[in-house]
Structure formats: C-alpha cells, structure tokens
Amino acid sequence: DAGVIQSPRHEVTEMGQEVTLRCKPISGHDYLFWYRQTMMRGLELLIYFNNNVPIDDSGMPEDRFSAKMPNASFSTLKIQPSEPRDSAVYFCASSPDSQGVGTEAFFGQGTRLTVV
Amino acid sequence: AQKVTQAQTEISVVEKEDVTLDCVYETRDTTYYLFWYKQPPSGELVFLIRRNSFDEQNEISGRYSWNFQKSTSSFNFTITASQVVDSAVYFCALSEASNTGKLIFGQGTTLQVKP
C-alpha cells in the first residue's frame, strides 16, 4: 500500500482565498484524522471520521474550516476564507481501528500551508 | 479528560549518551492506549510503539526501550547509546477506549544528538 496520500505537499495562497487540502487514507482503514501542527500549539486534532462519519469536530478552530469525507477513500479539509494564522502543516492520518483496539494511526507526509 | 504532558521541550546530548524522554498522561478510562511517534527533520510522523493499559511490561527494541508505569501515569522512552540519526521531535500520544480513535498528542520533545 502507498500509505496515506496528501495533496498538495505545499500550498501558498493569499489571504481570503479558499484552500482545499486532500487526503487519501490507507485502503481498509476505518478512521481518518486531520491534524494541524504549529510551533505554538503543537499537534492539534481538528476532526476525525469513523466510517466516513464525522465523530468529533471540536478541534475545528472556526466556521471557516470544514471537512468532508464523501467516501472511504477520500477526504477534504477546506478553509474559506484563509487567513495568515492558518499557516501550518496539516496532517491527515488513518487507522484500522474498528473494534476499540487502539491501533496506531498512519500519517501522510503533510501539507505545508502558507497564507500570505 | 485526556491529556498528555511532555515536560521536556528540548534535550541535547552528545552521541553515545543515553537519554530518557518523559511522558505523563491523564485519563479517567481504565482501558487506554499509549503511543510514541518520531518526527525527523524531514517532517513525517513515524510510529514507534503502542502499549495498552493492561500491559505494563517494559519493552525493548534495539537501542529503544519504554517504561510504562500506571502508578505514576508515565510512559517514558529511553534511547541507549544515542546517535545523530536519533535527532528528531518525539511525541507521546494517548487514545482512550471510550473515545475510540481519538488520538491526543503531547507537545513533543525535541532531541538533538551532537556528534
């Protein structure tokens, strides 16, 4: 398997523009996570899905952020409108945990977002 | 509420020294899982180990070892005879069985191993 695939790897956009980050989880994994990493706040869980259903979005910072998982093989994280403080590395991860076994999450390479 | 604390922000050692990275967690669950991840300078997050709350046996994998103590809610990570390639940010994480799938990370410890 190719692992978790994120695109783009780097994104530079102007303030106010819409940004869409994409993620393809590992086939067969039931859980999908979106994390944001910044120097100030470390790794923050934004939202996670189980079987394509959002379970906990309490980490989504504002209404400008939205995430979808239309099917088991694809998820998006959208920021509209983007702001400079959204600049961060965004990670997508997936996990095969479907029985509460607590298996590890596998991370993508991340998308480095810069909003100018 | 689940919480992970890595009190050491940065550690610097000289190659071949042993180093221990501390991790303290908080949870109300009796069933939970603990993890360590490594983030090298290239940026990806690499899974190192997982332990469940019922298994307090220490684990050794090569130069890496982990000490899990429920009595002190700690899951510490020791690198023996450190090498320059061990330089990275190391994250401890916690997942509760009642909150299946939600993985919460500590702030991370930056380890610098100097030649």
Side-chain angles (χ1 to χ4, degrees):
Chain A
D1 200 316
V4 176
I5 299 172
Q6 291 186 246
S7 64
R9 291 290 310 279
H10 302 273
E11 176 80 35
V12 180
T13 190
E14 292 185 347
M15 183 173 62
Q17 296 297 306
E18 176 180 298
V19 176
T20 299
L21 311 182
R22 297 172 174 81
C23 176
K24 179 179 177 358
I26 294 173
S27 177
H29 282 192
D30 298 318
Y31 283 85
L32 184 139
F33 309 84
W34 282 101
Y35 286 87
R36 178 172 69 175
Q37 186 177 30
T38 60
M39 288 292 291
M40 291 297 294
R41 302 175 70 91
L43 269 166
E44 300 174 275
L45 176 62
L46 301 178
I47 184 171
Y48 75 102
F49 296 82
N50 180 18
N51 292 319
N52 313 337
V53 176
I55 302 300
D56 186 343
D57 65 354
S58 59
M60 297 285 262
E62 301 172 30
D63 290 346
R64 299 184 295 105
F65 285 69
S66 63
K68 293 182 180 179
M69 193 165 185
N71 57 63
S73 59
F74 184 66
S75 177
T76 60
L77 177 67
K78 185 179 294 186
I79 308 173
Q80 165 62 20
S82 58
E83 297 182 2
R85 60 193 167 125
D86 301 330
S87 298
V89 179
Y90 291 82
F91 285 101
C92 176
S94 69
S95 167
D97 184 354
S98 61
Q99 302 294 330
V101 179
T103 53
E104 63 272 20
F106 295 83
F107 283 77
Q109 296 278 69
T111 295
R112 181 174 295 278
L113 173 65
T114 303
V115 183
V116 298
Chain B
Q2 52 182 143
K3 184 180 178 182
V4 177
T5 302
Q6 295 179 255
Q8 303 151 308
T9 306
E10 292 183 21
I11 301 176
S12 181
V13 298
V14 176
E15 208 170 18
K16 298 184 183 177
E17 285 186 17
D18 298 348
V19 58
T20 296
L21 309 181
D22 298 333
C23 173
V24 174
Y25 62 91
E26 293 177 30
T27 177
R28 293 176 185 160
D29 276 27
T30 55
T31 303
Y32 51 90
Y33 309 91
L34 296 163
F35 306 81
W36 276 95
Y37 282 82
K38 174 182 180 180
Q39 187 176 39
S42 51
E44 73 274 22
L45 280 152
V46 179
F47 165 77
L48 294 178
I49 190 173
R50 175 194 58 174
R51 303 299 284 176
N52 71 56
S53 53
F54 299 110
D55 184 1
E56 285 193 75
Q57 268 195 331
N58 293 331
E59 181 151 341
I60 298 174
S61 176
R63 295 184 297 107
Y64 294 172
S65 62
W66 291 268
N67 180 258
F68 176 29
Q69 292 194 349
K70 288 178 75 169
S71 60
T72 55
S73 297
S74 65
F75 186 43
N76 297 336
F77 173 30
T78 297
I79 302 175
T80 302
S82 59
Q83 300 176 0
V84 172
V85 293
D86 296 327
S87 297
V89 182
Y90 291 86
F91 291 95
C92 182
L94 166 70
S95 174
E96 296 171 325
S98 64
N99 218 348
T100 304
K102 187 171 183 175
L103 190 61
I104 298 299
F105 285 82
Q107 286 291 89
T109 297
T110 300
L111 173 65
Q112 183 181 31
V113 182
K114 298 177 181 178

